[in-house]
Amino acid sequence: MTVAILSTGLTPFGKRPERLEDLLAEAGRQAIESGPSSSSAPDALVVGSMSAGSLAGVESLAPRVADRLGLSRVPAWRAETASATGAGAFQLGAHLVASQAFERVLVVAGEKMTATSTVETTTVLSRSLSPQEVLHGATMPAMAALVSQLYLSRYGLPIEEVAEVTVRNRACSAHNPRAQLTSLVTKEEVNRSRMVASPLRLLHVSAISDGAGAVMLSRSHDPAEVTVRGLGQSTEVLEVVARPLEPVGFRATRRAARLAYDQAAIGRKEVQVAEVHDAFAPFQLIDLEDLGFCGPGEALRWTLEGRGDPNGVLPVNPSGGLLGRGHPVGVSGLAQIIEVHRQLLGEAGAMQAGRP
Amino acid sequence: MIVLGSCLKCDLRFVEAAAVCPECGGALTREERTGRGQVIAATEISVPPAPWTAPHRLVVVELEGGGRVLAVPSGPLPGPGEKGAVERGPQERLTWTAGAGAPTRGARASRCPRRNGAATVRCGDLGPTLGASFEGGPPPLLLRSGPRAS
Ligand SMILES: [Zn+2]
């Protein structure tokens, strides 16, 4: 059974006035209406959101979205895997199709993060950390700062140079009509921006954002369709400081990548474009190493050499990544898949990678 | 004294209360540390969650004898490599103090049965209380002789 991506939908990211369920419906409607004329309505719905109850004051999200899309008769579920929620919802949808339980599944994911204050939003997100870390007042940026520091000190890398990740991703998001941040920034601006959690500064951190995305999945009937070759997912010990430090990185990413490569029966060298989780600028470097594109400690040099630029050997985050697009936590994983889908179709417009 | 959970199967050491190893589901034992150690990472947060106020600081401490903990420094933000000690404070929170002299003599050595060859602890013996919340609360560990759990 081969699973195809029939169509996608993606709202602009940023501070949006709509309710979460309306953003989700907007993306879902785009995916339904932009599908092939032969396709009919989905026969199942998966809705992803990380913290809809706390951030948007809404629960029972799946039937609410189904209502707005006129899909109240189809089975509908909500998926949540923290800031991988969008990708988790996609994976569930793909398995629903691959299992032949359903012919066509609509996956919708989104987050509404700007209805609450920055302190409230930060506090809500920190609840996904381990209780031990929450007890000590940890936040996502704080734990990211500690991991980043361990990574940088392990390989003797200067934080000032990591600014280049933001500079390059923002150069890409300047071409992304759905991105929250479309202005260029300089290395100096990144390194002068205010400290959020030392050594991470504001411009090292992806923005709090609202947005939604959607993908229509179906059994593949046409060889020209973009199909899902491999999927991988893994969790990791919640207590961040307990995780092994050699190499510094995320074992969940390494395990998930291995699963996906194995299922697709390809190696990392066959990957032609990548969207990676740059929620914090140093995480893009760690991701590149965990995904096998660079050796341990090599990703910064690799990046500075332009190898991940849109015309480089492996374009990385040509959409601008989370640092440029914004990071509505529940949808970022799905937005990455949607951006890659457009790259594979050659429909990424000014963001199209691989052009001289 | 700091109590760590330690997995007999995969060597993971952690603070969080657990009945089984969060990594592999293996059986656990407890290990005790004096609290002395060295800062390996530190951060100052501009927007901490309630009830903390800015600037809020956190450190990762590599403990003597092995294992890492998250702690709140009592003073200014330490740099990597600073030596000191972690102590348990109110609500089981861990506080880092630079140069603090937690006892080096009299501290109990690791009670890991695998490492001292004494006994084996099974998952169910530990209940949900192994880790930071262990100290001063639950009764002593029930150690059972027998083959090592795997
Ligand atoms: Zn284990």
Side-chain angles (χ1 to χ4, degrees):
Chain A
M1 167 61 60
T2 306
V3 179
I5 298 175
L6 285 191
S7 58
T8 64
L10 193 60
T11 71
F13 285 13
K15 186 170 175 57
R16 297 282 306 262
E18 298 91 338
R19 296 173 58 85
L20 173 60
E21 51 270 46
D22 293 326
L23 288 171
L24 291 161
E26 178 184 332
R29 207 170 295 113
Q30 283 180 28
I32 292 170
E33 292 172 358
S34 64
S37 55
S38 59
S39 72
S40 55
D43 49 10
L45 173 67
V46 179
V47 179
S49 175
M50 177 174 164
S51 298
S54 300
L55 292 177
V58 61
E59 300 289 3
S60 293
L61 207 52
R64 284 173 201 273
V65 176
D67 269 9
R68 279 166 173 72
L69 293 172
L71 297 172
S72 287
R73 294 181 184 181
V74 308
W77 302 269
R78 175 173 164 188
E80 187 274 309
T81 56
S83 44
T85 288
F90 178 89
Q91 184 173 25
L92 287 180
H95 285 305
L96 288 175
V97 174
S99 69
Q100 305 192 41
F102 298 94
E103 167 73 24
R104 192 170 295 106
V105 175
L106 180 64
V107 177
V108 188
E111 206 74 56
K112 175 82 182 176
M113 300 174 76
T114 66
T116 42
S117 69
T118 301
V119 174
E120 287 173 299
T121 303
T122 302
T123 302
V124 167
L125 296 181
S126 73
R127 290 179 196 148
S128 62
L129 298 169
S130 85
Q132 179 68 18
E133 290 158 355
V134 173
L135 179 71
H136 290 82
T139 61
M140 287 285 194
M143 297 314 294
L146 293 169
V147 170
S148 298
Q149 208 175 103
L150 291 168
Y151 171 78
L152 296 171
S153 62
R154 170 69 182 79
Y155 300 113
L157 305 172
I159 183 67
E160 292 75 19
E161 293 300 317
V162 178
E164 279 290 340
V165 173
T166 304
V167 170
R168 287 160 195 261
N169 288 6
R170 290 284 290 269
C172 291
S173 67
H175 301 292
N176 187 339
R178 294 169 205 82
Q180 179 170 5
L181 301 168
T182 54
S183 60
L184 300 176
V185 293
T186 65
K187 186 174 166 185
E188 290 68 33
E189 286 171 322
V190 176
N191 287 327
R192 281 202 313 265
S193 60
R194 74 172 171 81
M195 201 65 88
V196 171
S198 57
L200 299 181
R201 295 176 178 274
L202 185 65
L203 294 179
H204 290 127
V205 181
S206 55
I208 287 172
S209 187
D210 307 329
V215 166
M216 185 77 84
L217 298 170
S218 168
R219 296 177 200 175
S220 179
H221 301 291
D222 180 347
E225 290 168 337
V226 172
T227 58
V228 179
R229 289 277 300 273
L231 290 164
Q233 200 263 13
S234 177
T235 55
E236 186 162 1
V237 174
L238 210 50
E239 193 177 316
V240 172
V241 302
R243 297 172 184 174
L245 288 180
E246 192 57 47
V248 182
F250 300 107
R251 283 195 295 179
T253 308
R254 295 196 289 273
R255 287 191 284 243
R258 193 165 55 243
L259 288 167
Y261 289 142
D262 287 351
Q263 194 175 60
I266 64 164
R268 57 180 171 76
K269 289 185 176 168
E270 290 169 76
V271 176
Q272 294 172 303
V273 61
E275 289 278 333
V276 305
H277 190 84
D278 57 327
F280 305 94
F283 281 17
Q284 177 160 323
L285 305 176
I286 293 172
D287 289 342
L288 289 170
E289 296 172 15
D290 285 337
L291 294 168
F293 300 135
C294 305
E298 293 175 358
L300 180 59
R301 183 168 49 84
W302 189 93
T303 300
L304 297 178
E305 289 171 355
R307 298 198 204 186
D309 288 354
N311 61 352
V313 291
L314 172 64
V316 174
N317 288 338
S319 69
L322 282 55
L323 286 169
R325 193 170 53 242
H327 185 24
V329 284
V331 64
S332 284
L334 190 64
Q336 292 172 304
I337 292 168
I338 293 167
E339 301 283 12
V340 165
H341 179 251
R342 290 176 178 166
Q343 289 285 341
L344 293 174
L345 291 175
E347 295 177 354
M351 295 180 287
Q352 190 65 46
R355 294 188 306 195
Chain B
M1 183 186 70
I2 305 298
V3 179
L4 302 178
S6 177
C7 178
L8 294 168
K9 189 174 171 186
C10 78
D11 274 345
L12 185 81
R13 293 189 180 103
F14 55 94
V15 178
E16 197 74 59
V20 295
C21 171
E23 172 69 19
C24 73
L28 302 176
T29 186
R30 54 181 267 165
E31 295 186 15
E32 297 171 2
R33 298 288 183 267
T34 62
R36 290 168 62 92
Q38 179 173 319
V39 169
I40 58 169
T43 188
E44 186 169 285
I45 313 164
S46 63
V47 186
W52 303 91
T53 54
H56 179 54
R57 303 177 181 106
L58 289 169
V59 293
V60 180
V61 178
E62 185 86 51
L63 296 171
E64 286 181 6
R68 287 181 294 274
V69 294
L70 190 70
V72 178
S74 57
L77 187 71
E82 182 181 276
K83 292 194 160 88
V86 170
E87 290 179 309
R88 197 179 306 282
Q91 297 181 294
E92 300 291 330
R93 286 182 177 130
L94 301 177
T95 304
W96 167 261
T97 305
T104 51
R105 270 194 262 170
R108 282 178 287 179
S110 161
R111 283 172 52 182
C112 169
R114 178 157 57 96
R115 293 179 185 101
N116 62 24
T120 296
V121 182
R122 294 182 188 162
C123 309
D125 297 337
L126 299 172
T129 53
L130 187 69
S133 60
F134 204 99
E135 190 184 32
L141 276 178
L142 174 63
L143 297 179
R144 291 179 184 166
S145 299
R148 179 185 152 190
S150 59

